[in-house]
């Protein structure tokens, strides 16, 4: 194994008397017509990540498809525009759901139309639970401005290099050193957690910097990032601080990818295979309880 488990944040042990209320309620705000899979992968990852309860909020037109993809999360069909994206008034519906959430993921598969951007901005204004912002959620805040700096509610941004470039307005960082330097400067300025994905994912809060060594190029396949976002939210829901959840989430996600590649090879690996290998990756962490 490339990184010692003892050097990672500890996976919270599950108390003998714990119950689903103990392990966090995760709300996934994701999906639109044509991208229901992003919501499914994220919701399933939150379950695999150990969340006590997972709710998936998606536009009405994809609710049945999302619900049919897994029996263990609940789904909430939110009002929509004619094109199958979150509609006018959707933010109020989602905020009502989020009032009971311990962590919220916003972004996978939302789309990028102007009303969706406004929807995301409205959620970020009013949410009081920690947020993992990914994919089209990141698009909505790009380029990243002062209005998001020093938020009191924890915010974890999980861009891939293309999304990071959109956030910063600069070209994609060319070297590992540049990735680390730009990610750290970004996190320092906005006061949250930056997880810059790709080979050698960097996680930083502007002061601490973790470079992840698990994972492999087999993970360069659609939907693997949606799995990561759901997993991090689940760890926040179990009580980890945002930075620790991002570090442990990156490690276990990459480890699932490595176990998946051992079993299946890199070429044929798909995002659902990561979900299937998360149990073995988590068991490695549990062996250190
Ligand atoms: N089943 C589904 O419904 C899926 C939906 N997805 C959604 O599809 C939408 C578009 O997401 P995309 O990420 O494709 O869109 P983007 O246009 O943001 O990113 C794609 C581009 O980013 C750049 N990029 C990505 N990784 C890079 C790296 N490591 N180094 C350098 N450049 C890199 C590349 O130029 C790539 O073509 C999002 O809403 C996303 O959540 C995806 O998550 C895939 C699965
Ligand atoms: N060569 C690689 N080595 C390690 N991890 C990788 C590699 N390529 C991709 N990944 C991982 O796969 C995930 C891809 O996320 P993302 O680009 O958001 O995918 P999607 O949006 O399709 O879900 C990230 O966690 C990234 O770190
Ligand atoms: Mg992505």
């Amino acid at each position: 194994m490339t990184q010692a488990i003892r050097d990672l944040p500890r996976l919270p042990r599950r108390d003998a008397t714990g119950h689903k209320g103990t392990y966090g309620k995760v709300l996934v705000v994701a999906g639109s017509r044509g991208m229901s899979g992003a919501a499914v992968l994220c919701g399933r990852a939150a379950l695999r990540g150990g969340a006590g309860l997972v709710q998936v909020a998606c536009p009405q037109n994809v609710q049945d498809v999302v619900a049919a993809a897994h029996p263990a999360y609940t789904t909430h069909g939110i009002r929509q525009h004619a094109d199958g994206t979150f509609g006018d008034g959707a933010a109020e519906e989602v905020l009502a759901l989020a009032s009971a959430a311990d962590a919220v993921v916003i972004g996978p598969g939302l789309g990028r139309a102007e009303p969706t951007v406004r929807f995301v901005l409205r959620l970020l204004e009013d949410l009081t639970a920690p947020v993992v912002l990914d994919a089209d959620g990141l698009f909505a805040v790009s380029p990243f401005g002062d209005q998001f700096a020093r938020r009191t509610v924890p915010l974890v941004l999980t861009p891939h290099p293309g999304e990071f470039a959109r956030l910063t307005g600069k070209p994609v960082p060319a070297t590992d050193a540049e990735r680390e330097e730009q990610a750290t400067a970004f996190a320092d300025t906005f006061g949250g957690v930056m997880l810059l994905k790709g080979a050698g994912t960097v996680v930083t809060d502007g002061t601490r910097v973790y470079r992840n060594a698990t994972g492999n190029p087999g993970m360069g396949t659609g939907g693997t990032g949606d799995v990561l976002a759901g997993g991090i939210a689940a760890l926040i829901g179990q009580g980890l601080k945002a930075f620790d959840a991002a570090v442990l989430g990156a490690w276990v996600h990459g480890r699932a990818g490595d176990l998946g590649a051992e079993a299946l090879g890199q070429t044929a690996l798909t995002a659902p295979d990561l979900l299937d290998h998360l149990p073995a990756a988590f068991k490695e962490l549990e062996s250190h309880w």
Side-chain angles (χ1 to χ4, degrees):
M1 217 169 300
T2 45
Q3 264 164 332
I5 287 175
R6 66 176 175 280
D7 296 334
L8 294 167
R10 300 274 294 195
L11 176 69
R13 182 191 279 275
R14 288 173 101 84
D15 190 89
T17 58
H19 51 84
K20 65 184 174 185
T22 313
Y23 302 118
K25 187 184 268 190
V26 171
L27 175 64
V28 172
V29 184
S32 58
R33 183 177 299 147
M35 294 196 286
S36 54
V40 170
L41 290 166
C42 193
R44 288 181 58 184
L47 287 164
R48 281 289 195 219
L53 278 169
V54 178
Q55 300 178 302
V56 181
C58 56
Q60 280 157 354
N61 70 98
V62 295
Q63 182 183 7
D64 289 351
V65 160
V66 172
H70 205 283
Y73 48 58
T74 60
T75 59
H76 302 266
I78 305 294
R79 69 183 69 178
Q80 60 186 12
H81 289 294
D83 65 356
T85 58
F86 282 94
D88 297 334
E92 285 66 28
E93 286 185 55
V94 170
L95 286 165
L97 282 173
S99 62
D102 297 297
V104 182
V105 183
I106 306 174
L110 295 182
R112 297 174 179 177
E114 180 51 32
T116 306
V117 168
R118 274 188 270 116
F119 165 70
V120 171
L121 296 179
R122 176 70 214 291
L123 292 182
L124 288 175
E125 252 171 48
D126 284 11
L127 279 171
T128 52
V131 171
V132 179
L133 196 63
D134 185 43
D136 297 330
L138 294 167
F139 179 88
V141 299
S142 296
F144 203 74
D146 290 346
Q147 73 269 36
F148 306 107
R150 308 284 154 201
R151 281 166 49 94
T152 49
V153 179
L155 181 58
V156 181
L157 307 184
T158 58
H160 59 52
E163 289 161 339
F164 184 71
R166 210 180 280 131
L167 283 169
T168 60
K170 296 182 191 161
V172 170
T175 62
D176 278 353
E178 233 177 85
R179 283 161 56 78
E180 195 165 311
E181 186 202 315
Q182 284 194 27
T184 309
F186 192 105
D188 188 41
T189 305
F190 101 90
V193 176
M194 166 58 66
L195 184 156
L196 175 54
K197 294 187 280 201
T201 288
V202 174
V203 185
T204 173
D205 61 2
T207 307
R208 294 170 287 181
V209 180
Y210 166 80
R211 179 173 285 281
N212 191 55
T214 58
N216 64 83
M219 295 166 70
T221 176
T224 52
D226 308 334
V227 172
L228 176 68
I232 293 170
L235 293 172
I236 293 173
Q238 285 162 86
L240 283 179
K241 297 283 183 218
F243 176 78
D244 289 343
V247 168
L248 197 61
W251 184 90
V252 77
H253 176 256
R255 185 68 187 136
D258 289 342
L259 294 169
E262 269 171 36
L264 304 167
Q266 293 185 359
T267 309
L269 197 70
T270 62
D273 298 322
L274 292 192
L275 294 167
D276 291 344
H277 286 85
L278 275 173
F282 273 113
K283 275 183 79 177
E284 291 180 3
L285 296 175
E286 289 178 11
S287 70
H288 288 250
W289 277 351

